[in-house]
PDB file of all heavy atoms in Angstrom:
ATOM      1  N   THR A 250      55.171  -3.892 -68.163  1.00  0.00           N
ATOM      2  CA  THR A 250      56.339  -3.212 -67.614  1.00  0.00           C
ATOM      3  C   THR A 250      55.888  -2.301 -66.470  1.00  0.00           C
ATOM      4  O   THR A 250      54.734  -1.870 -66.436  1.00  0.00           O
ATOM      5  CB  THR A 250      57.045  -2.352 -68.690  1.00  0.00           C
ATOM      6  OG1 THR A 250      56.166  -1.300 -69.096  1.00  0.00           O
ATOM      7  CG2 THR A 250      57.455  -3.192 -69.888  1.00  0.00           C
ATOM      8  N   PRO A 251      56.781  -1.965 -65.563  1.00  0.00           N
ATOM      9  CA  PRO A 251      56.429  -1.069 -64.458  1.00  0.00           C
ATOM     10  C   PRO A 251      55.991   0.318 -64.937  1.00  0.00           C
ATOM     11  O   PRO A 251      55.337   1.046 -64.201  1.00  0.00           O
ATOM     12  CB  PRO A 251      57.718  -0.970 -63.642  1.00  0.00           C
ATOM     13  CG  PRO A 251      58.549  -2.122 -64.059  1.00  0.00           C
ATOM     14  CD  PRO A 251      58.142  -2.482 -65.447  1.00  0.00           C
ATOM     15  N   GLU A 252      56.326   0.675 -66.175  1.00  0.00           N
ATOM     16  CA  GLU A 252      55.958   1.978 -66.722  1.00  0.00           C
ATOM     17  C   GLU A 252      54.440   2.172 -66.773  1.00  0.00           C
ATOM     18  O   GLU A 252      53.959   3.302 -66.805  1.00  0.00           O
ATOM     19  CB  GLU A 252      56.560   2.183 -68.113  1.00  0.00           C
ATOM     20  CG  GLU A 252      58.041   2.509 -68.089  1.00  0.00           C
ATOM     21  CD  GLU A 252      58.934   1.290 -67.826  1.00  0.00           C
ATOM     22  OE1 GLU A 252      58.496   0.130 -68.011  1.00  0.00           O
ATOM     23  OE2 GLU A 252      60.085   1.498 -67.418  1.00  0.00           O
ATOM     24  N   ILE A 253      53.680   1.072 -66.795  1.00  0.00           N
ATOM     25  CA  ILE A 253      52.218   1.218 -66.784  1.00  0.00           C
ATOM     26  C   ILE A 253      51.797   2.047 -65.585  1.00  0.00           C
ATOM     27  O   ILE A 253      50.989   2.964 -65.711  1.00  0.00           O
ATOM     28  CB  ILE A 253      51.517  -0.162 -66.758  1.00  0.00           C
ATOM     29  CG1 ILE A 253      51.641  -0.837 -68.116  1.00  0.00           C
ATOM     30  CG2 ILE A 253      50.053  -0.030 -66.334  1.00  0.00           C
ATOM     31  CD1 ILE A 253      51.079  -2.236 -68.164  1.00  0.00           C
ATOM     32  N   TRP A 254      52.351   1.754 -64.436  1.00  0.00           N
ATOM     33  CA  TRP A 254      51.926   2.427 -63.218  1.00  0.00           C
ATOM     34  C   TRP A 254      52.607   3.777 -63.030  1.00  0.00           C
ATOM     35  O   TRP A 254      52.038   4.669 -62.420  1.00  0.00           O
ATOM     36  CB  TRP A 254      52.121   1.509 -62.019  1.00  0.00           C
ATOM     37  CG  TRP A 254      51.263   0.281 -62.209  1.00  0.00           C
ATOM     38  CD1 TRP A 254      49.908   0.201 -61.987  1.00  0.00           C
ATOM     39  CD2 TRP A 254      51.660  -0.976 -62.724  1.00  0.00           C
ATOM     40  NE1 TRP A 254      49.458  -1.047 -62.333  1.00  0.00           N
ATOM     41  CE2 TRP A 254      50.502  -1.808 -62.779  1.00  0.00           C
ATOM     42  CE3 TRP A 254      52.868  -1.519 -63.145  1.00  0.00           C
ATOM     43  CZ2 TRP A 254      50.536  -3.112 -63.235  1.00  0.00           C
ATOM     44  CZ3 TRP A 254      52.901  -2.828 -63.594  1.00  0.00           C
ATOM     45  CH2 TRP A 254      51.739  -3.615 -63.634  1.00  0.00           C
ATOM     46  N   SER A 255      53.806   3.952 -63.582  1.00  0.00           N
ATOM     47  CA  SER A 255      54.451   5.261 -63.466  1.00  0.00           C
ATOM     48  C   SER A 255      53.941   6.229 -64.527  1.00  0.00           C
ATOM     49  O   SER A 255      54.118   7.439 -64.399  1.00  0.00           O
ATOM     50  CB  SER A 255      55.980   5.129 -63.540  1.00  0.00           C
ATOM     51  OG  SER A 255      56.373   4.645 -64.809  1.00  0.00           O
ATOM     52  N   ASN A 256      53.301   5.714 -65.562  1.00  0.00           N
ATOM     53  CA  ASN A 256      52.744   6.551 -66.618  1.00  0.00           C
ATOM     54  C   ASN A 256      51.281   6.138 -66.846  1.00  0.00           C
ATOM     55  O   ASN A 256      50.853   5.877 -67.968  1.00  0.00           O
ATOM     56  CB  ASN A 256      53.570   6.405 -67.899  1.00  0.00           C
ATOM     57  CG  ASN A 256      53.286   7.490 -68.901  1.00  0.00           C
ATOM     58  OD1 ASN A 256      52.429   8.349 -68.704  1.00  0.00           O
ATOM     59  ND2 ASN A 256      53.991   7.436 -70.020  1.00  0.00           N
ATOM     60  N   TRP A 257      50.547   6.051 -65.748  1.00  0.00           N
ATOM     61  CA  TRP A 257      49.174   5.551 -65.778  1.00  0.00           C
ATOM     62  C   TRP A 257      48.277   6.351 -66.717  1.00  0.00           C
ATOM     63  O   TRP A 257      47.457   5.790 -67.424  1.00  0.00           O
ATOM     64  CB  TRP A 257      48.591   5.527 -64.367  1.00  0.00           C
ATOM     65  CG  TRP A 257      47.217   4.929 -64.348  1.00  0.00           C
ATOM     66  CD1 TRP A 257      46.028   5.592 -64.261  1.00  0.00           C
ATOM     67  CD2 TRP A 257      46.876   3.543 -64.466  1.00  0.00           C
ATOM     68  NE1 TRP A 257      44.979   4.709 -64.302  1.00  0.00           N
ATOM     69  CE2 TRP A 257      45.481   3.430 -64.428  1.00  0.00           C
ATOM     70  CE3 TRP A 257      47.639   2.375 -64.595  1.00  0.00           C
ATOM     71  CZ2 TRP A 257      44.809   2.226 -64.513  1.00  0.00           C
ATOM     72  CZ3 TRP A 257      46.967   1.164 -64.672  1.00  0.00           C
ATOM     73  CH2 TRP A 257      45.577   1.093 -64.629  1.00  0.00           C
ATOM     74  N   GLN A 258      48.425   7.664 -66.735  1.00  0.00           N
ATOM     75  CA  GLN A 258      47.553   8.486 -67.587  1.00  0.00           C
ATOM     76  C   GLN A 258      47.696   8.117 -69.058  1.00  0.00           C
ATOM     77  O   GLN A 258      46.709   8.053 -69.780  1.00  0.00           O
ATOM     78  CB  GLN A 258      47.831   9.982 -67.385  1.00  0.00           C
ATOM     79  CG  GLN A 258      47.276  10.511 -66.077  1.00  0.00           C
ATOM     80  CD  GLN A 258      47.489  12.002 -65.941  1.00  0.00           C
ATOM     81  OE1 GLN A 258      48.503  12.543 -66.356  1.00  0.00           O
ATOM     82  NE2 GLN A 258      46.513  12.659 -65.335  1.00  0.00           N
ATOM     83  N   GLU A 259      48.904   7.881 -69.503  1.00  0.00           N
ATOM     84  CA  GLU A 259      49.137   7.485 -70.897  1.00  0.00           C
ATOM     85  C   GLU A 259      48.524   6.103 -71.182  1.00  0.00           C
ATOM     86  O   GLU A 259      47.885   5.890 -72.200  1.00  0.00           O
ATOM     87  CB  GLU A 259      50.637   7.475 -71.205  1.00  0.00           C
ATOM     88  CG  GLU A 259      50.989   6.971 -72.593  1.00  0.00           C
ATOM     89  CD  GLU A 259      50.634   7.935 -73.712  1.00  0.00           C
ATOM     90  OE1 GLU A 259      50.166   9.056 -73.442  1.00  0.00           O
ATOM     91  OE2 GLU A 259      50.825   7.559 -74.879  1.00  0.00           O
ATOM     92  N   PHE A 260      48.724   5.179 -70.254  1.00  0.00           N
ATOM     93  CA  PHE A 260      48.158   3.839 -70.404  1.00  0.00           C
ATOM     94  C   PHE A 260      46.634   3.911 -70.450  1.00  0.00           C
ATOM     95  O   PHE A 260      45.987   3.297 -71.308  1.00  0.00           O
ATOM     96  CB  PHE A 260      48.617   2.935 -69.246  1.00  0.00           C
ATOM     97  CG  PHE A 260      48.039   1.556 -69.297  1.00  0.00           C
ATOM     98  CD1 PHE A 260      48.418   0.652 -70.272  1.00  0.00           C
ATOM     99  CD2 PHE A 260      47.097   1.155 -68.353  1.00  0.00           C
ATOM    100  CE1 PHE A 260      47.868  -0.627 -70.315  1.00  0.00           C
ATOM    101  CE2 PHE A 260      46.549  -0.117 -68.393  1.00  0.00           C
ATOM    102  CZ  PHE A 260      46.943  -1.007 -69.373  1.00  0.00           C
ATOM    103  N   GLU A 261      46.057   4.691 -69.563  1.00  0.00           N
ATOM    104  CA  GLU A 261      44.610   4.845 -69.521  1.00  0.00           C
ATOM    105  C   GLU A 261      44.092   5.501 -70.805  1.00  0.00           C
ATOM    106  O   GLU A 261      43.073   5.096 -71.356  1.00  0.00           O
ATOM    107  CB  GLU A 261      44.231   5.674 -68.298  1.00  0.00           C
ATOM    108  CG  GLU A 261      42.752   5.742 -68.028  1.00  0.00           C
ATOM    109  CD  GLU A 261      42.462   6.442 -66.711  1.00  0.00           C
ATOM    110  OE1 GLU A 261      43.077   7.500 -66.424  1.00  0.00           O
ATOM    111  OE2 GLU A 261      41.617   5.926 -65.965  1.00  0.00           O
ATOM    112  N   ARG A 262      44.804   6.514 -71.303  1.00  0.00           N
ATOM    113  CA  ARG A 262      44.398   7.188 -72.538  1.00  0.00           C
ATOM    114  C   ARG A 262      44.415   6.213 -73.713  1.00  0.00           C
ATOM    115  O   ARG A 262      43.474   6.175 -74.506  1.00  0.00           O
ATOM    116  CB  ARG A 262      45.308   8.377 -72.843  1.00  0.00           C
ATOM    117  CG  ARG A 262      44.862   9.158 -74.103  1.00  0.00           C
ATOM    118  CD  ARG A 262      45.884  10.181 -74.551  1.00  0.00           C
ATOM    119  NE  ARG A 262      47.162   9.622 -74.919  1.00  0.00           N
ATOM    120  CZ  ARG A 262      47.412   9.008 -76.084  1.00  0.00           C
ATOM    121  NH1 ARG A 262      46.468   8.853 -76.983  1.00  0.00           N
ATOM    122  NH2 ARG A 262      48.618   8.532 -76.340  1.00  0.00           N
ATOM    123  N   LEU A 263      45.452   5.409 -73.817  1.00  0.00           N
ATOM    124  CA  LEU A 263      45.529   4.434 -74.907  1.00  0.00           C
ATOM    125  C   LEU A 263      44.394   3.421 -74.813  1.00  0.00           C
ATOM    126  O   LEU A 263      43.801   3.038 -75.826  1.00  0.00           O
ATOM    127  CB  LEU A 263      46.893   3.733 -74.903  1.00  0.00           C
ATOM    128  CG  LEU A 263      48.064   4.594 -75.371  1.00  0.00           C
ATOM    129  CD1 LEU A 263      49.388   3.914 -75.043  1.00  0.00           C
ATOM    130  CD2 LEU A 263      47.963   4.898 -76.857  1.00  0.00           C
ATOM    131  N   SER A 264      44.074   3.001 -73.608  1.00  0.00           N
ATOM    132  CA  SER A 264      42.980   2.051 -73.421  1.00  0.00           C
ATOM    133  C   SER A 264      41.642   2.667 -73.820  1.00  0.00           C
ATOM    134  O   SER A 264      40.802   2.004 -74.448  1.00  0.00           O
ATOM    135  CB  SER A 264      42.949   1.582 -71.965  1.00  0.00           C
ATOM    136  OG  SER A 264      41.928   0.642 -71.797  1.00  0.00           O
ATOM    137  N   MET A 265      41.440   3.920 -73.465  1.00  0.00           N
ATOM    138  CA  MET A 265      40.196   4.616 -73.832  1.00  0.00           C
ATOM    139  C   MET A 265      40.134   4.854 -75.339  1.00  0.00           C
ATOM    140  O   MET A 265      39.071   4.732 -75.953  1.00  0.00           O
ATOM    141  CB  MET A 265      40.060   5.946 -73.077  1.00  0.00           C
ATOM    142  CG  MET A 265      39.985   5.800 -71.581  1.00  0.00           C
ATOM    143  SD  MET A 265      38.638   4.707 -71.062  1.00  0.00           S
ATOM    144  CE  MET A 265      39.069   4.429 -69.371  1.00  0.00           C
ATOM    145  N   ASP A 266      41.290   5.188 -75.942  1.00  0.00           N
ATOM    146  CA  ASP A 266      41.347   5.351 -77.404  1.00  0.00           C
ATOM    147  C   ASP A 266      40.973   4.047 -78.098  1.00  0.00           C
ATOM    148  O   ASP A 266      40.221   4.048 -79.072  1.00  0.00           O
ATOM    149  CB  ASP A 266      42.746   5.778 -77.863  1.00  0.00           C
ATOM    150  CG  ASP A 266      43.063   7.235 -77.559  1.00  0.00           C
ATOM    151  OD1 ASP A 266      42.158   7.990 -77.139  1.00  0.00           O
ATOM    152  OD2 ASP A 266      44.245   7.615 -77.742  1.00  0.00           O
ATOM    153  N   LEU A 267      41.488   2.940 -77.587  1.00  0.00           N
ATOM    154  CA  LEU A 267      41.176   1.641 -78.169  1.00  0.00           C
ATOM    155  C   LEU A 267      39.674   1.382 -78.126  1.00  0.00           C
ATOM    156  O   LEU A 267      39.078   0.934 -79.113  1.00  0.00           O
ATOM    157  CB  LEU A 267      41.930   0.528 -77.438  1.00  0.00           C
ATOM    158  CG  LEU A 267      41.675  -0.894 -77.928  1.00  0.00           C
ATOM    159  CD1 LEU A 267      42.075  -1.050 -79.388  1.00  0.00           C
ATOM    160  CD2 LEU A 267      42.424  -1.891 -77.053  1.00  0.00           C
ATOM    161  N   GLU A 268      39.057   1.692 -77.015  1.00  0.00           N
ATOM    162  CA  GLU A 268      37.613   1.506 -76.885  1.00  0.00           C
ATOM    163  C   GLU A 268      36.856   2.377 -77.896  1.00  0.00           C
ATOM    164  O   GLU A 268      35.916   1.922 -78.554  1.00  0.00           O
ATOM    165  CB  GLU A 268      37.181   1.848 -75.457  1.00  0.00           C
ATOM    166  CG  GLU A 268      35.711   1.627 -75.187  1.00  0.00           C
ATOM    167  CD  GLU A 268      35.356   1.897 -73.735  1.00  0.00           C
ATOM    168  OE1 GLU A 268      35.872   2.884 -73.146  1.00  0.00           O
ATOM    169  OE2 GLU A 268      34.560   1.125 -73.183  1.00  0.00           O
ATOM    170  N   LEU A 269      37.274   3.609 -78.036  1.00  0.00           N
ATOM    171  CA  LEU A 269      36.646   4.550 -78.957  1.00  0.00           C
ATOM    172  C   LEU A 269      36.798   4.095 -80.408  1.00  0.00           C
ATOM    173  O   LEU A 269      35.823   4.054 -81.168  1.00  0.00           O
ATOM    174  CB  LEU A 269      37.268   5.940 -78.774  1.00  0.00           C
ATOM    175  CG  LEU A 269      36.814   7.023 -79.733  1.00  0.00           C
ATOM    176  CD1 LEU A 269      35.363   7.396 -79.459  1.00  0.00           C
ATOM    177  CD2 LEU A 269      37.723   8.243 -79.594  1.00  0.00           C
ATOM    178  N   TYR A 270      38.012   3.732 -80.809  1.00  0.00           N
ATOM    179  CA  TYR A 270      38.255   3.324 -82.192  1.00  0.00           C
ATOM    180  C   TYR A 270      37.537   2.018 -82.511  1.00  0.00           C
ATOM    181  O   TYR A 270      37.039   1.832 -83.621  1.00  0.00           O
ATOM    182  CB  TYR A 270      39.752   3.204 -82.475  1.00  0.00           C
ATOM    183  CG  TYR A 270      40.506   4.499 -82.299  1.00  0.00           C
ATOM    184  CD1 TYR A 270      41.843   4.500 -81.934  1.00  0.00           C
ATOM    185  CD2 TYR A 270      39.885   5.739 -82.466  1.00  0.00           C
ATOM    186  CE1 TYR A 270      42.544   5.687 -81.766  1.00  0.00           C
ATOM    187  CE2 TYR A 270      40.579   6.930 -82.292  1.00  0.00           C
ATOM    188  CZ  TYR A 270      41.916   6.899 -81.943  1.00  0.00           C
ATOM    189  OH  TYR A 270      42.607   8.063 -81.776  1.00  0.00           O
ATOM    190  N   ALA A 271      37.487   1.113 -81.552  1.00  0.00           N
ATOM    191  CA  ALA A 271      36.769  -0.145 -81.765  1.00  0.00           C
ATOM    192  C   ALA A 271      35.273   0.124 -81.951  1.00  0.00           C
ATOM    193  O   ALA A 271      34.630  -0.489 -82.815  1.00  0.00           O
ATOM    194  CB  ALA A 271      37.007  -1.105 -80.604  1.00  0.00           C
ATOM    195  N   ALA A 272      34.723   1.032 -81.166  1.00  0.00           N
ATOM    196  CA  ALA A 272      33.306   1.390 -81.310  1.00  0.00           C
ATOM    197  C   ALA A 272      33.041   1.971 -82.690  1.00  0.00           C
ATOM    198  O   ALA A 272      32.066   1.604 -83.362  1.00  0.00           O
ATOM    199  CB  ALA A 272      32.892   2.382 -80.223  1.00  0.00           C
ATOM    200  N   ALA A 273      33.908   2.864 -83.140  1.00  0.00           N
ATOM    201  CA  ALA A 273      33.752   3.475 -84.461  1.00  0.00           C
ATOM    202  C   ALA A 273      33.910   2.430 -85.564  1.00  0.00           C
ATOM    203  O   ALA A 273      33.168   2.444 -86.555  1.00  0.00           O
ATOM    204  CB  ALA A 273      34.764   4.604 -84.640  1.00  0.00           C
ATOM    205  N   LEU A 274      34.849   1.521 -85.396  1.00  0.00           N
ATOM    206  CA  LEU A 274      35.059   0.454 -86.379  1.00  0.00           C
ATOM    207  C   LEU A 274      33.800  -0.396 -86.521  1.00  0.00           C
ATOM    208  O   LEU A 274      33.376  -0.713 -87.636  1.00  0.00           O
ATOM    209  CB  LEU A 274      36.253  -0.412 -85.956  1.00  0.00           C
ATOM    210  CG  LEU A 274      36.619  -1.581 -86.855  1.00  0.00           C
ATOM    211  CD1 LEU A 274      37.040  -1.087 -88.238  1.00  0.00           C
ATOM    212  CD2 LEU A 274      37.751  -2.392 -86.217  1.00  0.00           C
ATOM    213  N   GLY A 275      33.193  -0.743 -85.414  1.00  0.00           N
ATOM    214  CA  GLY A 275      31.958  -1.520 -85.462  1.00  0.00           C
ATOM    215  C   GLY A 275      30.835  -0.776 -86.168  1.00  0.00           C
ATOM    216  O   GLY A 275      30.074  -1.362 -86.940  1.00  0.00           O
ATOM    217  N   ARG A 276      30.744   0.514 -85.918  1.00  0.00           N
ATOM    218  CA  ARG A 276      29.690   1.326 -86.557  1.00  0.00           C
ATOM    219  C   ARG A 276      29.925   1.478 -88.055  1.00  0.00           C
ATOM    220  O   ARG A 276      28.979   1.616 -88.819  1.00  0.00           O
ATOM    221  CB  ARG A 276      29.610   2.695 -85.896  1.00  0.00           C
ATOM    222  CG  ARG A 276      28.989   2.642 -84.527  1.00  0.00           C
ATOM    223  CD  ARG A 276      28.858   4.046 -83.933  1.00  0.00           C
ATOM    224  NE  ARG A 276      28.095   4.014 -82.714  1.00  0.00           N
ATOM    225  CZ  ARG A 276      28.631   4.134 -81.500  1.00  0.00           C
ATOM    226  NH1 ARG A 276      29.917   4.301 -81.350  1.00  0.00           N
ATOM    227  NH2 ARG A 276      27.859   4.086 -80.434  1.00  0.00           N
ATOM    228  N   ALA A 277      31.190   1.486 -88.472  1.00  0.00           N
ATOM    229  CA  ALA A 277      31.532   1.698 -89.882  1.00  0.00           C
ATOM    230  C   ALA A 277      31.546   0.410 -90.697  1.00  0.00           C
ATOM    231  O   ALA A 277      31.683   0.452 -91.913  1.00  0.00           O
ATOM    232  CB  ALA A 277      32.903   2.373 -89.973  1.00  0.00           C
ATOM    233  N   ALA A 278      31.403  -0.715 -90.063  1.00  0.00           N
ATOM    234  CA  ALA A 278      31.598  -2.014 -90.719  1.00  0.00           C
ATOM    235  C   ALA A 278      30.797  -2.192 -92.004  1.00  0.00           C
ATOM    236  O   ALA A 278      31.299  -2.762 -92.975  1.00  0.00           O
ATOM    237  CB  ALA A 278      31.271  -3.145 -89.746  1.00  0.00           C
ATOM    238  N   ASP A 279      29.566  -1.714 -92.037  1.00  0.00           N
ATOM    239  CA  ASP A 279      28.727  -1.916 -93.215  1.00  0.00           C
ATOM    240  C   ASP A 279      29.210  -1.148 -94.442  1.00  0.00           C
ATOM    241  O   ASP A 279      28.787  -1.450 -95.557  1.00  0.00           O
ATOM    242  CB  ASP A 279      27.273  -1.534 -92.924  1.00  0.00           C
ATOM    243  CG  ASP A 279      26.581  -2.576 -92.061  1.00  0.00           C
ATOM    244  OD1 ASP A 279      26.965  -3.761 -92.119  1.00  0.00           O
ATOM    245  OD2 ASP A 279      25.658  -2.198 -91.309  1.00  0.00           O
ATOM    246  N   LYS A 280      30.065  -0.180 -94.263  1.00  0.00           N
ATOM    247  CA  LYS A 280      30.560   0.605 -95.396  1.00  0.00           C
ATOM    248  C   LYS A 280      31.504  -0.194 -96.281  1.00  0.00           C
ATOM    249  O   LYS A 280      31.699   0.149 -97.438  1.00  0.00           O
ATOM    250  CB  LYS A 280      31.281   1.864 -94.905  1.00  0.00           C
ATOM    251  CG  LYS A 280      30.338   2.838 -94.253  1.00  0.00           C
ATOM    252  CD  LYS A 280      30.950   4.165 -93.841  1.00  0.00           C
ATOM    253  CE  LYS A 280      32.426   4.213 -93.715  1.00  0.00           C
ATOM    254  NZ  LYS A 280      32.947   5.459 -93.215  1.00  0.00           N
ATOM    255  N   GLY A 281      32.107  -1.222 -95.742  1.00  0.00           N
ATOM    256  CA  GLY A 281      33.076  -1.992 -96.516  1.00  0.00           C
ATOM    257  C   GLY A 281      34.392  -1.248 -96.647  1.00  0.00           C
ATOM    258  O   GLY A 281      34.612  -0.216 -96.026  1.00  0.00           O
ATOM    259  N   LEU A 282      35.265  -1.776 -97.474  1.00  0.00           N
ATOM    260  CA  LEU A 282      36.599  -1.207 -97.652  1.00  0.00           C
ATOM    261  C   LEU A 282      36.594  -0.156 -98.751  1.00  0.00           C
ATOM    262  O   LEU A 282      35.957  -0.322 -99.785  1.00  0.00           O
ATOM    263  CB  LEU A 282      37.605  -2.299 -97.994  1.00  0.00           C
ATOM    264  CG  LEU A 282      37.772  -3.402 -96.944  1.00  0.00           C
ATOM    265  CD1 LEU A 282      38.735  -4.464 -97.448  1.00  0.00           C
ATOM    266  CD2 LEU A 282      38.260  -2.819 -95.633  1.00  0.00           C
ATOM    267  N   ALA A 283      37.357   0.911 -98.548  1.00  0.00           N
ATOM    268  CA  ALA A 283      37.485   1.965 -99.547  1.00  0.00           C
ATOM    269  C   ALA A 283      38.598   1.628-100.527  1.00  0.00           C
ATOM    270  O   ALA A 283      38.550   2.010-101.681  1.00  0.00           O
ATOM    271  CB  ALA A 283      37.747   3.307 -98.867  1.00  0.00           C
ATOM    272  N   HIS A 284      39.619   0.912-100.064  1.00  0.00           N
ATOM    273  CA  HIS A 284      40.779   0.516-100.873  1.00  0.00           C
ATOM    274  C   HIS A 284      41.322   1.639-101.734  1.00  0.00           C
ATOM    275  O   HIS A 284      41.162   1.661-102.949  1.00  0.00           O
ATOM    276  CB  HIS A 284      40.471  -0.698-101.753  1.00  0.00           C
ATOM    277  CG  HIS A 284      40.525  -1.967-100.987  1.00  0.00           C
ATOM    278  ND1 HIS A 284      41.667  -2.435-100.406  1.00  0.00           N
ATOM    279  CD2 HIS A 284      39.555  -2.848-100.692  1.00  0.00           C
ATOM    280  CE1 HIS A 284      41.403  -3.567 -99.789  1.00  0.00           C
ATOM    281  NE2 HIS A 284      40.126  -3.838 -99.937  1.00  0.00           N
ATOM    282  N   SER A 285      41.986   2.555-101.093  1.00  0.00           N
ATOM    283  CA  SER A 285      42.690   3.612-101.807  1.00  0.00           C
ATOM    284  C   SER A 285      43.989   3.019-102.323  1.00  0.00           C
ATOM    285  O   SER A 285      44.952   2.827-101.587  1.00  0.00           O
ATOM    286  CB  SER A 285      42.965   4.779-100.863  1.00  0.00           C
ATOM    287  OG  SER A 285      43.784   5.717-101.498  1.00  0.00           O
ATOM    288  N   ALA A 286      44.048   2.706-103.609  1.00  0.00           N
ATOM    289  CA  ALA A 286      45.196   2.013-104.199  1.00  0.00           C
ATOM    290  C   ALA A 286      46.484   2.814-104.094  1.00  0.00           C
ATOM    291  O   ALA A 286      47.538   2.267-103.821  1.00  0.00           O
ATOM    292  CB  ALA A 286      44.906   1.679-105.662  1.00  0.00           C
ATOM    293  N   SER A 287      46.411   4.106-104.309  1.00  0.00           N
ATOM    294  CA  SER A 287      47.648   4.890-104.326  1.00  0.00           C
ATOM    295  C   SER A 287      47.991   5.460-102.955  1.00  0.00           C
ATOM    296  O   SER A 287      49.109   5.904-102.748  1.00  0.00           O
ATOM    297  CB  SER A 287      47.516   6.034-105.326  1.00  0.00           C
ATOM    298  OG  SER A 287      46.538   6.953-104.875  1.00  0.00           O
ATOM    299  N   GLY A 288      47.007   5.494-102.058  1.00  0.00           N
ATOM    300  CA  GLY A 288      47.266   6.079-100.742  1.00  0.00           C
ATOM    301  C   GLY A 288      47.318   7.596-100.810  1.00  0.00           C
ATOM    302  O   GLY A 288      47.774   8.241 -99.896  1.00  0.00           O
TER     303      GLY A 288
END
């Protein structure tokens, strides 16, 4: 949508967040799932 360019900072922040969370996910992979049944 054209909003990407009119709200570039938000789009860029989300892209950087994705990179950060993906990096953390890769680092945490060996821990396995915690599976909190009740939340």
Side-chain angles (χ1 to χ4, degrees):
T250 65
E252 284 77 19
I253 287 176
W254 298 281
S255 64
N256 195 357
W257 184 257
Q258 285 183 323
E259 175 72 4
F260 178 70
E261 188 173 44
R262 183 190 61 78
L263 288 168
S264 182
M265 298 304 166
D266 286 351
L267 179 60
E268 183 176 41
L269 175 69
Y270 299 151
L274 180 63
R276 287 183 172 105
D279 286 332
K280 293 185 341 185
L282 300 177
H284 281 296
S285 173
S287 67

